[in-house]
Each structure stands twice: as C-alpha cells, then as structure tokens.
C-alpha cells in the first residue's frame, strides 16, 4: 500500500501523466523510508520478543511528524478533487475521479494503519521506559 502511494505520488491528476523530474515528488518517498524502517524494527522486536529501545522510540517520534505530513497530503488530494469544479471549462481526464478516489482511499488506509501500528506497538512490545534495563535484565544470566 505504501509502495502504491509512492508510485501514485508521481502521478498528476489533472494531466494524467507521471512527473519524474519534479523535485517535490521525491519528498514523500524519502520520508516513507522512515516508515519502512519503523515497520522493520516493529516486526523485528515482535519476532525476537525484545523490549523497545531509544532508537525505536526516536523512530516512532519521527513517524509522528511524518503522520502530520500524511494528513497534509490527504487534505491536499481531497482539495484537488473538490476544486475540479473550478476547471469545468478545461478538459479533465476521465481517470481524474477514479484515480483520485483510489489515492484518497490509500491515504486514509495509511493513516488508519499507522495509528493501529502505534497501538499494536504499545500492546505487543511495551511502553518506552527509560529504566527498562533495570526491569528486564538479570545480571546473573
């Protein structure tokens, strides 16, 4: 899903073309690397039954900021679809509404799944405690 959004990030709704040489289109894919990294760390902590560490906490805090950017992208896409009435005199491609609906659906799904991941992290891995080493490590092991 995140990979699909990265590809669709290069798509122009009004022009029905992909813009690969527009520098603004590379912001979302670069920021999504942090999301992929957090998902890998999340999977690894569950698989190895490890406790959260400061690096995972910092990744999650960075993901909170990226979550706000995801919200901004969703609002921007909704605004693009709503503002299509202003361009009634221009030729709007037939793919405008279907692809726009797919993009909004994927963006809303990304927002929901990101929030669920935060909840699952707390439930499956645990809270970010600064003194977790004292609580979970035995010196005689």
């Amino acid at each position: 899903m995140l990979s699909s959004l990265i590809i669709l990030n290069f798509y122009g709704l009004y022009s029905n073309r992909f813009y690969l040489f527009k520098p603004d289109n590379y912001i979302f894919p670069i920021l999504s690397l942090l999301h992929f990294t957090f998902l890998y760390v999340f999977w690894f902590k569950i698989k190895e039954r490890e406790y959260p560490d400061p690096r995972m906490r910092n990744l999650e805090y960075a993901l909170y900021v990226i979550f706000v950017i995801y919200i901004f992208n969703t609002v921007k896409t909704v605004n693009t679809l709503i503002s299509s009435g202003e361009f009634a005199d221009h030729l709007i491609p037939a793919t405008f509404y279907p692809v726009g609906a797919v993009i909004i659906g994927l963006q809303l799904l990304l927002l929901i799944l990101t929030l669920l991941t935060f909840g699952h992290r707390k439930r499956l891995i645990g809270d970010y405690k600064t003194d977790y080493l004292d609580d979970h490590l035995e010196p005689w092991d």
Side-chain angles (χ1 to χ4, degrees):
M1 173 200 47
L2 190 54
S3 302
S4 300
L5 278 173
I6 290 171
I7 293 169
L8 289 172
N9 183 57
F10 293 98
Y11 180 75
L13 282 173
Y14 285 120
S15 64
N16 196 22
R17 293 177 38 198
F18 284 91
Y19 295 99
L20 297 177
F21 298 113
K22 190 175 173 187
D24 294 348
N25 289 343
Y26 288 95
I27 295 171
F28 181 76
I30 291 171
L31 292 178
S32 65
L33 289 174
L34 283 172
H35 199 130
F36 282 121
T37 304
F38 179 78
L39 290 175
Y40 172 75
V41 170
F42 180 73
W43 168 80
F44 183 79
K45 295 286 184 181
I46 290 173
K47 182 181 159 222
E48 298 294 325
R49 296 183 185 197
E50 290 185 7
Y51 296 102
D53 56 8
R55 283 181 256 162
M56 184 178 185
R57 180 194 63 208
N58 294 341
L59 269 175
E60 186 170 334
Y61 290 165
L63 202 55
Y64 291 158
V65 174
I66 292 173
F67 184 78
V68 173
I69 295 170
Y70 290 164
I71 292 172
F72 173 75
N73 281 343
T74 305
V75 170
K76 188 172 82 169
T77 306
V78 168
N79 190 26
T80 301
L81 285 177
I82 291 174
S83 69
S84 67
E86 298 174 13
F87 302 104
D89 298 335
H90 300 283
L91 182 63
I92 295 178
T95 59
F96 182 76
Y97 289 111
V99 173
V102 167
I103 291 172
I104 289 175
L106 287 172
Q107 287 173 336
L108 290 174
L109 188 62
L110 177 65
L111 292 173
I112 291 168
L113 291 176
T114 302
L115 289 176
L116 282 174
T117 303
F118 294 151
H120 287 314
R121 189 270 315 150
K122 188 172 184 178
R123 187 174 51 87
L124 296 174
I125 299 174
D127 289 331
Y128 294 122
K129 297 179 184 176
T130 56
D131 56 345
Y132 75 96
L133 289 174
D134 295 334
D135 294 341
H136 301 293
L137 294 178
E138 293 293 326
W140 302 106
D141 288 340

